Amino acid sequence: VSLPDTQSQEDTRGIPIPAVGIAPVALPLRYRDEETGATVPIEAEVALYTTLAAEARGTHMSRLIEAVMEGAHQPVTAAALFDWIQDATGRLGATGGQVAVRFRYHVDKSAPVTGQHGFVAYEVELRAHQSGRQKLLGWRLGVPVTTLCPCSKEVSRYGAHNQRGRITITASIRSPKRYPALAAFLTAAEQLGSCPIFTLLKRPDEKWVTEAAYDHPKFVEDVLRDAVLWLQTRGDLTWFSAKVSNDESIHLHNAIAYFDQAWADPDQARPSIWDWDPWG
Amino acid sequence: VSLPDTQSQEDTRGIPIPAVGIAPVALPLRYRDEETGATVPIEAEVALYTTLAAEARGTHMSRLIEAVMEGAHQPVTAAALFDWIQDATGRLGATGGQVAVRFRYHVDKSAPVTGQHGFVAYEVELRAHQSGRQKLLGWRLGVPVTTLCPCSKEVSRYGAHNQRGRITITASIRSPKRYPALAAFLTAAEQLGSCPIFTLLKRPDEKWVTEAAYDHPKFVEDVLRDAVLWLQTRGDLTWFSAKVSNDESIHLHNAIAYFDQAWADPDQARPSIWDWDPWG
Amino acid sequence: VSLPDTQSQEDTRGIPIPAVGIAPVALPLRYRDEETGATVPIEAEVALYTTLAAEARGTHMSRLIEAVMEGAHQPVTAAALFDWIQDATGRLGATGGQVAVRFRYHVDKSAPVTGQHGFVAYEVELRAHQSGRQKLLGWRLGVPVTTLCPCSKEVSRYGAHNQRGRITITASIRSPKRYPALAAFLTAAEQLGSCPIFTLLKRPDEKWVTEAAYDHPKFVEDVLRDAVLWLQTRGDLTWFSAKVSNDESIHLHNAIAYFDQAWADPDQARPSIWDWDPWG
Amino acid sequence: VSLPDTQSQEDTRGIPIPAVGIAPVALPLRYRDEETGATVPIEAEVALYTTLAAEARGTHMSRLIEAVMEGAHQPVTAAALFDWIQDATGRLGATGGQVAVRFRYHVDKSAPVTGQHGFVAYEVELRAHQSGRQKLLGWRLGVPVTTLCPCSKEVSRYGAHNQRGRITITASIRSPKRYPALAAFLTAAEQLGSCPIFTLLKRPDEKWVTEAAYDHPKFVEDVLRDAVLWLQTRGDLTWFSAKVSNDESIHLHNAIAYFDQAWADPDQARPSIWDWDPWG
């Protein structure tokens, strides 16, 4: 017996839909760092979308899931993300599509003095979009750091408030063929705070990070500007934004600074108030 | 004794910062619906940002908090949001600023048959941005609905899967002087699903909503297109996006459809992959 | 036409249900501090449950919502919570019930030197349970503080890592008639860290809190023990637990210490591994 | 140079601490199902605590991290959890300790008619506690299901509201030597709703799940009682609780039912109001 195909009904409202799909689909994947070739298991969430022509009433969501499950067989790389999109658009006859994958990336770090090992988790979100021949590739990385307040240090006879902060870098990648080396990028980014974060610190290490942070006091604005200077030197990004958010130890709210290459002149009119997240 | 003012140190990195500030600051406020004049207490979170000139090392975060606490004395309206910004930019000598306020708006709704009362909570985020004379005003509204799947209804001898869904409408408001009437907007939006959500339903009401949903099966794409048709007729918006997300009752992931006026032609190249949230 | 009452069908599985109900119901309420008489608007979430006899198939959820909406007319106090339960058990013919209300309580605090004002939000959850004549009353309070690490201070030539921490006190109240004065309790609790948290701090205040924290270094264990000593002196509690959790500025994980009066001898066998939340 | 050991200072407050430690530590682990021998990579969060004697000022948190990183070398099993605890208590000279590990467990399920494959994620939390020779072992499992409302079906001419629900089973395991087979437990649990959840469903499958749910309408109370009947037959548990929570498709709140073996007689006085989570 053939079942009716409601999705394929003709739609007369005249509205093409730029993105319809499914998210978040949680599943075990592998991530391959193309620089080092290392492949690690990741616990991922996937979002997969395609366009829908004005004439079709609905997409076939199950085909998107088929593409996700098929895509799970190969490690996540830039090329694999475009394979997911092409598989999805092929199954659905769509003109374009988008995939996003987010996961925690665990780096086994050595403590600064004793060299003892401990994993630190960085937040990674990869995105790819294809429309006809146009391919866009990007990533968003969340990097925890310690920040120590220069004002607090200056005005106080001793001590200085410090806290866990987070640098979030969002970037469009110039080449759709491959991502920059992830671990190296994260390692560079976490130098931007007053001190990197570690999971395992023995007492000599704790002395080291305490003094290092006190020796490198930085406002969120300082961390942000140093991030911008670094990101501007990279030739592999076509656009970036950076956000620094401090879980202020003396307040219940956060201090946050944001930079978007497209707004580099703050006195320029801005096209939209919705193009960033002011909440964290 | 005068304390050093580290923030006012000269900065030589040459990078103006478009947004530096504080978020989320939780506090009790009042919201005034300008259409009806009704003023209700709200539990709000505030984000307040200003620009920072390239020459200044840091902003003075405490002045932003002063502006927030001062702003708390008047009810939240479009005009009040610009007052917050002007207070903040004035205190800091900044050329522009942005404020966002988010809260739950409670509507006392009547059940469809028995008329019994119960509060339903809608999610509201208001944003305002001012740069020189340019003023931008916007809101984002989250509206819960019931959706019932047309495919499930068609292919099955009886029943149809249905679920809690959410319509998220983000819009830029044409006039910076006032917001459209909020309660009326929400009431219109919640007609777009298969059936509105209620908090208190007696059995005759439950019969009514069950049959109403079954009589109005809608895909996320249907809800989205009906939202777009409705929003296009409004003269008070200069831009909008709409997202419909279903907490699928038969899956662990959501089905999601998204429309952005600026991407209305899905075959057009898209400027960015970061201009929306594909996760929910 | 009379509609079938499926819930009232006889159940033969022989299993009475201790708690069946609805949560979270978000709505605007008022909270009355009985010590001061002050009544403030709150944005609350309510959970309301009653027992269900073995013989009945289902409860009537809509009557619980009726009780919630009825309860919303009077300010939240200990007596009001028991009224909610009695209203619910009366409507349902149940032998017992439980209500929980959670909300943020905003205190307008003065900065320590300049005296400037700013709201700080404390997390409050109130619970009441009634079974026959037995009445139980409790609260859980979340109090943010700054903590500064004594080890970091001792081993380092200068500086000391510090961070936002949270003291969570859960207590059963001796008298079911009224709660202890809330604002006074919170003010006492926030003295237990290295320094209280403030929302608005000018530079002389920032100097004060920085030095105060450095002068009062405390491990999570120190804060916890001081909390226990204080709570043991109170005559108005029949049981308490306390948890201190530090958002470590040098790590991505938290340091946490927990005390439960019922486990006061840690070498005693513990009846359960599920009686607390080890995650935060 | 030897650094001062602040933690080892003598404490005179006379308060032993039952649990002090670190959480959540995120890291890649492997889980071994001892029934099948299958070992899978998991993305885990770990909480590790030990007791602290009244005489010692602080624990040495870094030794707990060392135990976590050492424990990461072997797959997670019941025996491995007690190894973690013994490693931690040995390093710290503590009399007891507790470990908790939480992660998503992905099962590759076949659609009911077409047999197509898709991963479904279940939530798993494992806990172990050791004090002297006493060993306690437990797990908490979160199982998504579809539930369809019997009342809605009965009162309506057609259709019935249904939604995603979640069954949460918390249990103490009789033998500290091994966990019951996980996949088999989850498969049994997800039969308790109106229909299991799947990630990949083609149209014949969607017809099947829609009709199956309509043929098996169940209140949260029905699902709960069937869970209790099933759990009571198992000989491998010494205690259990079960909670069923429905994301009601017609409301913004959830309907929830809870059973705790220790409260099986709801007319009995209950020792505490804090021994469960009424919020979801």
Coordinates of all heavy atoms in Angstrom, one line a residue, chain C residues 13 15-16 18-19 21-23 45 49 53 56-57 59 95 98 125 127 129 170 221-222 225-226 254 256 258 267 270 273-274 276 278-279, chain D residues 13 15 18-19 21 23 45 49 53 56-57 59 95 98 102 125 127 129 170 221-222 225-226 254 256 258 267 270 273-274 276 278-279:
Chain C
R13 N -3.9 -1.9 39.9 CA -2.5 -2.3 40.1 C -2.0 -2.2 41.6 O -0.9 -2.7 41.9 CB -1.6 -1.4 39.2 CG -1.6 -1.8 37.8 CD -1.1 -0.8 36.8 NE -2.0 0.4 36.7 CZ -1.9 1.3 35.7 NH1 -1.0 1.2 34.8 NH2 -2.8 2.3 35.6
I15 N -1.1 0.3 43.5 CA 0.1 1.2 43.8 C -0.4 2.6 44.1 O -0.7 3.3 43.2 CB 1.1 1.2 42.7 CG1 1.6 -0.3 42.4 CG2 2.2 2.1 42.9 CD1 2.4 -0.4 41.2
P16 N -0.4 3.0 45.4 CA -0.7 4.4 45.7 C 0.5 5.2 45.2 O 1.7 4.8 45.2 CB -0.8 4.4 47.2 CG 0.0 3.2 47.7 CD -0.1 2.2 46.6
P18 N 2.7 8.6 45.7 CA 3.0 9.6 46.7 C 2.9 11.1 46.2 O 2.7 12.0 47.0 CB 4.4 9.3 47.3 CG 5.0 8.4 46.3 CD 3.9 7.8 45.5
A19 N 3.2 11.3 44.9 CA 3.3 12.7 44.5 C 3.0 12.7 43.0 O 3.7 12.2 42.2 CB 4.6 13.3 44.7
G21 N 1.6 15.7 40.0 CA 1.2 17.1 39.9 C 1.8 17.7 38.7 O 2.0 17.1 37.7
I22 N 2.0 19.1 38.9 CA 2.4 19.9 37.8 C 3.5 20.8 38.1 O 3.6 21.3 39.2 CB 1.1 20.7 37.3 CG1 0.3 21.2 38.5 CG2 0.2 19.9 36.4 CD1 0.6 22.5 39.0
A23 N 4.5 21.0 37.2 CA 5.6 21.9 37.4 C 6.4 22.0 36.1 O 6.4 21.1 35.3 CB 6.5 21.2 38.5
E45 N 8.1 30.3 40.0 CA 7.7 29.0 39.4 C 7.1 28.2 40.5 O 7.7 28.1 41.6 CB 8.9 28.3 38.7 CG 9.3 29.1 37.5 CD 10.3 28.3 36.7 OE1 11.2 27.6 37.3 OE2 10.4 28.5 35.4
Y49 N 1.8 19.2 44.1 CA 1.6 17.8 44.0 C 0.6 17.4 45.1 O 0.6 17.9 46.2 CB 2.9 17.0 44.2 CG 3.9 17.2 43.1 CD1 4.8 18.3 43.1 CD2 4.0 16.2 42.1 CE1 5.7 18.4 42.0 CE2 4.9 16.3 41.1 CZ 5.8 17.4 41.1 OH 6.7 17.5 40.0
A53 N -4.6 7.9 45.6 CA -4.9 6.6 46.1 C -4.7 5.5 45.1 O -4.9 5.7 43.9 CB -6.4 6.6 46.6
A56 N -7.5 4.9 42.3 CA -7.8 5.9 41.3 C -6.8 5.8 40.2 O -5.6 5.8 40.4 CB -7.9 7.3 41.9
R57 N -7.3 5.9 38.9 CA -6.3 5.8 37.8 C -5.5 7.0 37.7 O -4.3 6.9 37.4 CB -7.1 5.5 36.5 CG -6.1 5.3 35.3 CD -6.8 4.8 34.1 NE -5.8 4.8 33.0 CZ -6.1 4.8 31.7 NH1 -7.4 4.8 31.4 NH2 -5.2 4.7 30.8
T59 N -5.0 11.5 38.6 CA -5.4 12.7 39.3 C -6.1 13.7 38.3 O -6.0 13.4 37.1 CB -4.2 13.5 40.0 OG1 -4.7 14.4 40.9 CG2 -3.3 14.2 39.0
T95 N -5.0 12.7 50.5 CA -4.6 12.7 51.9 C -3.4 13.5 52.2 O -3.1 13.7 53.4 CB -4.3 11.2 52.3 OG1 -3.2 10.7 51.5 CG2 -5.5 10.4 52.2
Q98 N 2.1 18.6 48.5 CA 3.3 19.3 48.6 C 3.3 20.5 47.6 O 2.8 20.3 46.5 CB 4.5 18.3 48.3 CG 5.8 19.0 48.2 CD 7.0 18.0 48.2 OE1 6.8 16.8 48.3 NE2 8.2 18.6 48.1
E125 N 14.1 29.0 47.2 CA 13.0 28.0 47.0 C 12.4 27.6 48.3 O 13.1 27.3 49.3 CB 13.7 26.7 46.3 CG 12.6 25.6 46.1 CD 13.1 24.4 45.4 OE1 14.2 24.5 44.8 OE2 12.5 23.3 45.5
R127 N 9.5 25.3 50.3 CA 8.7 24.0 50.2 C 7.9 23.8 51.4 O 8.3 24.1 52.5 CB 9.7 22.8 50.0 CG 10.4 22.8 48.7 CD 11.0 21.4 48.4 NE 11.9 21.4 47.3 CZ 12.6 20.4 46.8 NH1 12.4 19.2 47.4 NH2 13.4 20.5 45.8
H129 N 5.0 20.7 52.9 CA 4.4 19.3 52.7 C 3.4 19.1 53.8 O 3.7 19.4 55.0 CB 5.5 18.3 52.7 CG 5.0 16.9 52.7 ND1 4.7 16.2 51.5 CD2 4.7 16.0 53.7 CE1 4.3 15.0 51.8 NE2 4.3 14.8 53.1
T170 N 20.1 24.5 52.7 CA 18.8 23.9 52.7 C 18.4 23.6 54.1 O 19.2 23.0 54.8 CB 18.9 22.6 51.9 OG1 19.4 22.9 50.6 CG2 17.5 22.0 51.7
E221 N 36.1 24.5 52.4 CA 35.9 23.9 53.7 C 35.7 24.9 54.8 O 34.9 24.7 55.8 CB 37.1 23.0 54.0 CG 37.3 21.8 53.0 CD 38.3 22.1 51.9 OE1 38.3 23.3 51.5 OE2 39.0 21.2 51.5
D222 N 36.5 26.0 54.7 CA 36.3 27.0 55.8 C 35.0 27.7 55.7 O 34.3 27.9 56.8 CB 37.4 28.1 55.5 CG 38.8 27.7 55.8 OD1 39.0 27.0 56.8 OD2 39.7 28.0 55.1
R225 N 32.4 25.1 57.1 CA 32.4 24.9 58.5 C 31.9 26.2 59.3 O 31.2 26.0 60.3 CB 33.8 24.6 59.0 CG 34.2 23.2 58.8 CD 35.7 22.9 59.1 NE 36.0 21.5 59.2 CZ 37.1 21.0 58.7 NH1 38.0 21.7 58.1 NH2 37.3 19.7 58.8
D226 N 32.2 27.3 58.8 CA 31.6 28.5 59.4 C 30.1 28.6 59.2 O 29.4 29.0 60.1 CB 32.3 29.8 58.9 CG 33.8 29.9 59.4 OD1 34.1 29.2 60.3 OD2 34.5 30.7 58.8
N254 N 34.6 23.0 39.4 CA 34.3 23.7 40.7 C 34.9 22.9 41.8 O 35.1 21.6 41.7 CB 32.8 23.8 40.9 CG 32.3 25.0 40.1 OD1 32.9 25.4 39.1 ND2 31.1 25.5 40.5
I256 N 34.0 21.9 45.7 CA 32.7 21.8 46.4 C 32.9 21.1 47.7 O 33.6 20.1 47.8 CB 31.7 21.1 45.5 CG1 31.6 21.7 44.1 CG2 30.3 21.0 46.2 CD1 30.7 21.0 43.1
Y258 N 30.4 19.8 51.1 CA 29.0 19.5 51.5 C 28.9 19.0 52.9 O 29.7 18.2 53.3 CB 28.4 18.5 50.5 CG 26.9 18.3 50.7 CD1 26.0 19.2 50.4 CD2 26.5 17.1 51.3 CE1 24.6 19.0 50.6 CE2 25.1 16.9 51.5 CZ 24.2 17.8 51.2 OH 22.9 17.6 51.4
D267 N 32.1 8.7 59.3 CA 32.5 7.3 59.3 C 31.2 6.4 59.5 O 31.3 5.2 59.4 CB 33.5 7.0 60.4 CG 34.8 7.7 60.1 OD1 35.1 7.9 58.9 OD2 35.5 8.1 61.0
R270 N 26.2 5.4 55.4 CA 25.2 6.4 54.9 C 24.0 5.5 54.2 O 24.3 4.6 53.5 CB 25.8 7.2 53.8 CG 25.0 8.4 53.4 CD 25.5 9.1 52.2 NE 26.8 9.6 52.4 CZ 27.5 10.3 51.4 NH1 26.9 10.5 50.2 NH2 28.7 10.7 51.6
I273 N 23.0 6.9 48.4 CA 23.9 7.7 47.6 C 23.2 8.8 46.8 O 23.7 9.5 46.1 CB 24.7 6.9 46.7 CG1 23.9 5.9 45.9 CG2 25.8 6.2 47.5 CD1 24.6 5.0 45.0
W274 N 21.9 8.9 47.0 CA 21.1 9.7 46.1 C 20.5 10.9 46.9 O 19.7 11.7 46.3 CB 19.9 8.9 45.5 CG 20.4 7.9 44.6 CD1 20.5 6.6 44.8 CD2 21.0 8.1 43.3 NE1 21.1 5.9 43.7 CE2 21.4 6.9 42.8 CE3 21.2 9.2 42.5 CZ2 22.0 6.7 41.6 CZ3 21.8 9.1 41.3 CH2 22.2 7.8 40.8
W276 N 21.8 13.7 47.8 CA 22.3 15.1 47.5 C 22.7 15.2 46.0 O 22.8 14.2 45.3 CB 23.5 15.4 48.4 CG 24.8 14.8 48.2 CD1 25.0 13.4 48.1 CD2 26.0 15.4 47.8 NE1 26.3 13.2 47.8 CE2 26.9 14.4 47.6 CE3 26.4 16.7 47.7 CZ2 28.3 14.7 47.3 CZ3 27.7 17.0 47.4 CH2 28.6 16.0 47.2
P278 N 25.7 16.0 43.7 CA 27.2 16.3 43.8 C 27.7 17.1 42.6 O 28.9 17.4 42.5 CB 27.7 14.8 43.6 CG 26.7 14.1 42.8 CD 25.4 14.7 43.2
W279 N 26.8 17.6 41.7 CA 27.2 18.2 40.5 C 27.5 19.7 40.6 O 28.0 20.3 39.6 CB 26.2 17.9 39.4 CG 26.3 16.5 39.0 CD1 25.3 15.5 39.3 CD2 27.3 15.8 38.4 NE1 25.7 14.3 38.9 CE2 27.0 14.4 38.4 CE3 28.6 16.1 37.9 CZ2 27.8 13.4 37.8 CZ3 29.4 15.2 37.4 CH2 29.1 13.9 37.3
Chain D
R13 N 37.6 23.7 64.6 CA 36.2 23.9 64.7 C 35.4 22.6 65.0 O 34.2 22.7 65.3 CB 35.7 24.5 63.4 CG 36.0 26.0 63.3 CD 35.8 26.5 61.9 NE 36.9 26.1 61.0 CZ 37.2 26.7 59.8 NH1 36.5 27.7 59.4 NH2 38.2 26.2 59.1
I15 N 34.5 20.0 63.1 CA 33.5 19.6 62.2 C 34.1 18.7 61.1 O 34.7 19.2 60.2 CB 32.8 20.8 61.6 CG1 32.1 21.7 62.7 CG2 31.7 20.4 60.5 CD1 31.6 23.0 62.2
P18 N 31.6 15.5 55.4 CA 31.3 14.2 54.8 C 31.7 14.1 53.3 O 31.9 13.0 52.8 CB 29.8 14.1 54.9 CG 29.3 15.4 55.3 CD 30.4 16.2 55.9
A19 N 31.8 15.3 52.6 CA 32.1 15.2 51.2 C 32.7 16.5 50.7 O 32.1 17.6 50.8 CB 30.8 15.0 50.4
G21 N 35.2 17.9 47.4 CA 35.8 17.4 46.1 C 35.6 18.3 45.0 O 35.5 19.5 45.1
A23 N 33.9 18.9 40.9 CA 32.9 18.5 39.9 C 32.5 19.8 39.1 O 32.5 20.9 39.7 CB 31.6 18.0 40.6
E45 N 31.3 13.5 32.4 CA 31.6 14.4 33.5 C 31.7 13.6 34.8 O 30.9 12.7 35.1 CB 30.5 15.5 33.6 CG 30.5 16.4 32.5 CD 29.5 17.6 32.6 OE1 28.5 17.4 33.3 OE2 29.8 18.6 32.1
Y49 N 34.6 12.9 45.4 CA 34.6 13.4 46.7 C 35.2 12.5 47.7 O 35.0 11.2 47.6 CB 33.2 13.7 47.2 CG 32.5 14.9 46.5 CD1 31.8 14.6 45.3 CD2 32.5 16.1 47.0 CE1 31.2 15.7 44.6 CE2 31.8 17.2 46.3 CZ 31.2 16.9 45.1 OH 30.6 18.0 44.5
A53 N 38.6 14.8 57.7 CA 38.6 14.7 59.2 C 38.4 16.0 59.8 O 38.9 17.0 59.2 CB 39.8 14.0 59.7
A56 N 41.6 18.4 60.0 CA 42.4 18.9 58.9 C 41.6 20.1 58.3 O 40.4 20.1 58.1 CB 42.5 17.8 57.8
R57 N 42.4 21.2 58.0 CA 41.7 22.4 57.5 C 41.1 22.2 56.1 O 40.0 22.6 55.8 CB 42.7 23.5 57.4 CG 42.0 24.8 57.0 CD 42.8 26.0 57.1 NE 42.1 27.2 56.6 CZ 42.7 28.4 56.3 NH1 44.0 28.5 56.4 NH2 42.0 29.4 55.8
T59 N 41.1 19.7 52.2 CA 41.5 18.5 51.4 C 42.6 19.0 50.4 O 42.8 20.2 50.2 CB 40.4 17.8 50.7 OG1 40.8 16.5 50.2 CG2 39.9 18.6 49.5
T95 N 38.6 8.4 55.0 CA 37.9 7.2 55.5 C 36.8 6.8 54.5 O 36.2 5.7 54.6 CB 37.3 7.4 56.9 OG1 36.4 8.5 56.8 CG2 38.3 7.7 57.9
Q98 N 33.2 9.1 47.4 CA 32.1 8.9 46.5 C 32.5 9.4 45.1 O 33.2 10.4 44.9 CB 30.9 9.8 47.0 CG 29.7 9.8 46.0 CD 28.5 10.3 46.7 OE1 28.4 10.6 47.9 NE2 27.4 10.5 45.9
R102 N 28.6 11.0 34.8 CA 27.3 11.1 33.9 C 27.7 11.2 32.5 O 28.7 11.9 32.1 CB 26.4 12.2 34.4 CG 27.0 13.6 34.4 CD 26.0 14.6 34.9 NE 26.5 15.9 34.9 CZ 26.0 17.0 35.4 NH1 24.8 16.9 36.1 NH2 26.6 18.2 35.4
E125 N 23.6 8.3 34.7 CA 24.5 8.7 35.8 C 24.8 7.5 36.7 O 23.9 6.9 37.2 CB 23.8 9.9 36.6 CG 24.7 10.3 37.7 CD 24.2 11.5 38.5 OE1 23.4 12.3 38.0 OE2 24.6 11.7 39.7
R127 N 26.7 6.2 40.2 CA 27.3 6.6 41.5 C 27.8 5.4 42.3 O 27.2 4.4 42.3 CB 26.2 7.4 42.3 CG 25.8 8.7 41.7 CD 25.2 9.5 42.8 NE 24.5 10.7 42.1 CZ 23.8 11.6 42.8 NH1 23.6 11.5 44.1 NH2 23.3 12.6 42.2
H129 N 29.7 4.8 46.3 CA 30.1 5.4 47.6 C 30.8 4.3 48.4 O 30.3 3.1 48.4 CB 28.9 5.9 48.3 CG 29.1 6.4 49.7 ND1 29.6 7.7 49.9 CD2 29.0 5.8 50.9 CE1 29.7 7.8 51.3 NE2 29.4 6.7 51.8
T170 N 15.9 5.9 39.2 CA 17.0 5.9 40.1 C 17.0 4.7 40.9 O 16.0 4.4 41.5 CB 17.0 7.2 41.0 OG1 16.8 8.3 40.1 CG2 18.2 7.4 41.8
E221 N 0.6 8.7 35.4 CA 0.4 7.7 36.5 C 0.4 6.3 36.0 O 0.9 5.4 36.7 CB -1.0 8.0 37.2 CG -1.1 9.3 37.9 CD -1.8 10.4 37.0 OE1 -1.6 10.4 35.7 OE2 -2.5 11.3 37.5
D222 N -0.1 6.1 34.8 CA 0.0 4.7 34.2 C 1.4 4.3 33.9 O 1.8 3.2 34.2 CB -0.8 4.7 32.9 CG -2.3 4.8 33.1 OD1 -2.9 4.2 34.0 OD2 -3.0 5.5 32.3
R225 N 3.1 3.6 37.3 CA 2.7 2.3 38.0 C 3.3 1.1 37.2 O 3.7 0.2 37.8 CB 1.2 2.3 38.1 CG 0.7 3.1 39.2 CD -0.8 3.1 39.2 NE -1.4 3.7 40.5 CZ -2.4 4.4 40.6 NH1 -3.1 4.8 39.5 NH2 -2.8 4.9 41.7
D226 N 3.3 1.2 35.9 CA 3.9 0.1 35.2 C 5.4 0.0 35.4 O 5.9 -1.1 35.5 CB 3.5 0.2 33.7 CG 2.0 -0.1 33.4 OD1 1.3 -0.6 34.3 OD2 1.6 0.2 32.3
N254 N 4.8 20.9 32.8 CA 4.8 19.5 32.7 C 3.9 18.8 33.7 O 3.5 19.4 34.7 CB 6.2 19.0 33.0 CG 7.2 19.2 31.8 OD1 6.9 20.0 30.9 ND2 8.2 18.4 31.7
I256 N 3.7 15.5 36.1 CA 4.8 14.7 36.6 C 4.2 13.8 37.7 O 3.4 14.2 38.5 CB 5.8 15.6 37.3 CG1 6.4 16.6 36.2 CG2 7.0 14.8 37.9 CD1 7.3 17.7 36.8
Y258 N 5.6 10.8 40.6 CA 6.8 10.3 41.3 C 6.5 9.2 42.3 O 5.5 9.2 43.0 CB 7.4 11.5 42.1 CG 8.8 11.1 42.7 CD1 9.9 10.9 41.9 CD2 8.9 11.0 44.1 CE1 11.1 10.6 42.5 CE2 10.1 10.6 44.7 CZ 11.2 10.4 43.9 OH 12.4 10.1 44.4
D267 N 0.3 7.7 53.1 CA -0.3 8.3 54.3 C 0.7 8.2 55.5 O 0.4 8.7 56.6 CB -1.5 7.5 54.7 CG -2.6 7.7 53.6 OD1 -2.6 8.8 53.0 OD2 -3.4 6.8 53.4
R270 N 6.4 11.5 56.1 CA 7.6 11.5 55.3 C 8.7 12.2 56.1 O 8.5 13.2 56.8 CB 7.4 12.2 54.0 CG 8.5 12.0 53.0 CD 8.4 13.0 51.9 NE 7.1 12.8 51.2 CZ 6.9 13.6 50.1 NH1 7.7 14.4 49.6 NH2 5.7 13.4 49.4
I273 N 11.3 16.9 53.2 CA 10.7 17.4 52.0 C 11.8 17.6 50.9 O 11.5 18.2 49.9 CB 10.0 18.7 52.3 CG1 10.9 19.6 53.1 CG2 8.7 18.5 52.9 CD1 10.2 21.0 53.4
W274 N 13.0 17.3 51.2 CA 14.1 17.6 50.3 C 14.7 16.4 49.6 O 15.7 16.5 48.9 CB 15.2 18.3 51.1 CG 14.8 19.6 51.6 CD1 14.5 19.9 52.9 CD2 14.6 20.8 50.8 NE1 14.1 21.2 53.0 CE2 14.1 21.8 51.7 CE3 14.7 21.1 49.5 CZ2 13.8 23.1 51.3 CZ3 14.4 22.4 49.1 CH2 14.0 23.4 50.0
W276 N 13.7 14.7 47.0 CA 13.4 14.5 45.6 C 13.4 15.9 44.9 O 13.4 16.9 45.6 CB 12.2 13.7 45.3 CG 10.9 14.5 45.5 CD1 10.5 15.1 46.7 CD2 9.9 14.7 44.6 NE1 9.2 15.7 46.5 CE2 8.9 15.4 45.2 CE3 9.7 14.4 43.2 CZ2 7.7 15.9 44.5 CZ3 8.6 14.8 42.6 CH2 7.6 15.5 43.2
P278 N 11.2 18.2 42.7 CA 9.8 18.3 42.1 C 9.7 19.1 40.8 O 8.6 19.3 40.3 CB 9.1 19.0 43.3 CG 10.1 19.9 43.9 CD 11.4 19.1 43.8
W279 N 10.9 19.5 40.3 CA 10.8 20.5 39.2 C 10.8 19.9 37.8 O 10.6 20.7 36.9 CB 12.0 21.5 39.4 CG 11.8 22.4 40.6 CD1 12.5 22.3 41.7 CD2 10.8 23.4 40.8 NE1 12.0 23.2 42.6 CE2 10.9 23.9 42.0 CE3 9.8 23.9 40.0 CZ2 10.1 24.9 42.6 CZ3 8.9 24.9 40.5 CH2 9.1 25.4 41.7

